[in-house]
Coordinates of all heavy atoms in Angstrom, one line a residue:
Y273 N -23.4 51.4 40.5 CA -23.1 51.9 39.3 C -23.2 50.8 38.1 O -23.3 51.1 36.9 CB -21.7 52.5 39.0 CG -21.4 53.5 40.2 CD1 -20.5 53.2 41.2 CD2 -22.2 54.7 40.2 CE1 -20.2 54.1 42.2 CE2 -21.9 55.7 41.3 CZ -21.0 55.3 42.3 OH -20.8 56.1 43.2
S274 N -23.3 49.6 38.6 CA -23.3 48.5 37.5 C -24.6 48.5 36.7 O -25.7 48.7 37.3 CB -23.2 47.2 38.3 OG -23.7 46.2 37.5
Q275 N -24.5 48.2 35.4 CA -25.6 47.9 34.7 C -26.3 46.6 34.8 O -27.2 46.2 34.2 CB -25.3 48.3 33.3 CG -25.0 49.7 33.0 CD -24.7 50.1 31.6 OE1 -25.4 49.8 30.7 NE2 -23.5 50.8 31.4
G276 N -25.5 45.7 35.5 CA -26.1 44.4 35.9 C -26.3 43.4 34.8 O -27.3 42.6 34.9
Y277 N -25.6 43.5 33.8 CA -25.8 42.4 32.8 C -25.3 41.0 33.2 O -25.7 40.0 32.5 CB -25.1 42.8 31.4 CG -25.9 44.0 30.7 CD1 -25.3 45.2 30.6 CD2 -27.2 43.8 30.3 CE1 -26.0 46.3 30.1 CE2 -27.9 44.8 29.7 CZ -27.3 46.1 29.6 OH -28.0 47.0 29.0
N278 N -24.5 40.9 34.2 CA -24.0 39.6 34.6 C -23.4 38.9 33.6 O -23.7 37.7 33.3 CB -25.0 38.8 35.4 CG -25.0 39.0 36.8 OD1 -24.0 39.6 37.4 ND2 -26.0 38.5 37.6
Y279 N -22.4 39.5 32.9 CA -21.7 38.8 31.7 C -20.5 38.1 32.2 O -19.4 38.2 31.7 CB -21.3 39.9 30.8 CG -22.5 40.3 29.8 CD1 -22.3 41.6 29.2 CD2 -23.6 39.6 29.6 CE1 -23.2 42.0 28.3 CE2 -24.5 40.0 28.7 CZ -24.4 41.3 28.2 OH -25.3 41.7 27.3
R280 N -20.6 37.3 33.4 CA -19.5 36.6 34.0 C -18.9 35.6 33.2 O -19.8 34.8 32.5 CB -19.8 36.1 35.3 CG -19.9 37.2 36.4 CD -20.2 36.5 37.7 NE -21.4 35.6 37.6 CZ -22.4 35.7 38.2 NH1 -22.7 36.6 39.1 NH2 -23.4 34.9 37.9
P281 N -17.6 35.3 33.1 CA -17.1 34.1 32.3 C -17.5 32.9 33.0 O -17.4 32.7 34.3 CB -15.7 34.3 32.2 CG -15.4 35.2 33.5 CD -16.5 36.1 33.7
N282 N -17.8 31.8 32.2 CA -18.1 30.5 32.9 C -16.7 29.8 33.2 O -15.8 29.7 32.4 CB -18.8 29.7 31.8 CG -19.2 28.3 32.3 OD1 -18.3 27.6 32.8 ND2 -20.5 28.0 32.2
V283 N -16.5 29.4 34.5 CA -15.2 28.9 34.8 C -14.9 27.5 34.3 O -13.9 27.2 33.9 CB -15.2 28.7 36.4 CG1 -13.8 28.2 36.9 CG2 -15.3 30.1 37.1
F284 N -16.0 26.7 34.0 CA -15.8 25.4 33.4 C -15.3 25.6 31.9 O -14.4 25.0 31.5 CB -17.1 24.7 33.3 CG -17.6 24.2 34.6 CD1 -18.6 24.8 35.4 CD2 -17.0 23.0 35.3 CE1 -19.0 24.3 36.6 CE2 -17.5 22.5 36.5 CZ -18.5 23.2 37.1
S285 N -15.9 26.6 31.2 CA -15.5 26.9 29.9 C -14.1 27.4 29.9 O -13.3 27.1 29.1 CB -16.5 27.9 29.2 OG -17.7 27.3 29.1
S286 N -13.7 28.2 30.9 CA -12.5 28.8 31.0 C -11.4 27.7 31.1 O -10.3 27.9 30.6 CB -12.4 29.8 32.1 OG -13.3 30.9 31.9
S287 N -11.7 26.7 31.9 CA -10.8 25.7 32.1 C -10.4 24.9 30.8 O -9.3 24.5 30.6 CB -11.2 24.7 33.3 OG -12.2 23.8 32.7
I288 N -11.4 24.8 30.0 CA -11.1 24.2 28.7 C -10.4 25.1 27.8 O -9.4 24.8 27.1 CB -12.3 23.6 28.1 CG1 -13.0 22.5 28.8 CG2 -12.2 23.3 26.6 CD1 -14.3 21.9 28.3
A289 N -10.8 26.3 27.7 CA -10.2 27.4 26.9 C -8.7 27.5 27.2 O -7.8 27.7 26.4 CB -10.9 28.7 27.0
K290 N -8.4 27.4 28.5 CA -6.9 27.6 29.0 C -6.1 26.5 28.3 O -5.1 26.7 27.9 CB -6.9 27.6 30.5 CG -5.6 27.9 31.1 CD -5.8 28.4 32.6 CE -5.5 27.3 33.6 NZ -4.1 26.7 33.5
L291 N -6.6 25.2 28.3 CA -5.9 24.2 27.6 C -5.7 24.5 26.2 O -4.7 24.2 25.5 CB -6.7 22.8 27.8 CG -6.7 22.3 29.3 CD1 -7.6 21.1 29.3 CD2 -5.3 21.9 29.7
R292 N -6.8 25.1 25.5 CA -6.7 25.2 24.1 C -5.7 26.3 23.7 O -5.1 26.3 22.7 CB -8.0 25.6 23.5 CG -9.1 24.6 23.8 CD -9.6 23.9 22.5 NE -10.9 23.5 22.5 CZ -11.2 22.2 22.2 NH1 -10.3 21.4 21.6 NH2 -12.4 21.8 22.3
V293 N -5.6 27.3 24.6 CA -4.6 28.4 24.3 C -3.2 27.8 24.3 O -2.4 28.2 23.4 CB -4.6 29.5 25.4 CG1 -3.7 30.6 25.3 CG2 -6.1 30.2 25.3
E294 N -2.9 26.8 25.1 CA -1.5 26.1 25.1 C -1.2 25.6 23.7 O -0.1 25.6 23.4 CB -1.5 25.1 26.1 CG -1.4 25.6 27.6 CD -1.7 24.6 28.6 OE1 -1.5 23.3 28.3 OE2 -2.0 24.9 29.8
M295 N -2.2 25.1 23.0 CA -2.1 24.4 21.7 C -2.5 25.3 20.5 O -2.6 24.7 19.4 CB -2.8 23.1 21.7 CG -2.3 22.0 22.8 SD -0.5 21.6 22.6 CE -0.7 20.7 21.1
L296 N -2.7 26.6 20.8 CA -3.5 27.4 19.7 C -2.7 27.5 18.4 O -3.3 27.3 17.4 CB -3.8 28.7 20.3 CG -4.9 29.5 19.6 CD1 -6.1 28.7 19.4 CD2 -5.3 30.7 20.5
D297 N -1.4 27.7 18.6 CA -0.6 27.9 17.4 C -0.6 26.5 16.5 O -0.7 26.5 15.2 CB 0.8 28.3 17.7 CG 0.9 29.8 18.1 OD1 0.2 30.6 17.5 OD2 1.6 30.1 19.1
T298 N -0.5 25.4 17.2 CA -0.6 24.2 16.5 C -2.0 23.9 15.9 O -2.0 23.6 14.7 CB -0.3 23.0 17.5 OG1 0.9 23.3 18.2 CG2 -0.2 21.7 16.8
Q299 N -2.9 24.2 16.6 CA -4.3 24.1 16.0 C -4.5 24.9 14.8 O -5.0 24.5 13.8 CB -5.4 24.5 17.1 CG -6.8 24.3 16.6 CD -7.8 25.1 17.3 OE1 -8.7 25.7 16.7 NE2 -7.8 25.1 18.6

Side-chain angles (χ1 to χ4, degrees):
Y273 307 112
S274 162
Q275 297 182 46
Y277 289 111
N278 263 350
Y279 284 159
R280 287 181 309 241
N282 183 308
V283 181
F284 291 99
S285 295
S286 299
S287 73
I288 291 179
K290 196 157 93 58
L291 291 171
R292 299 250 203 230
V293 171
E294 288 166 16
M295 298 298 292
L296 198 47
D297 287 317
T298 311
Q299 183 200 136

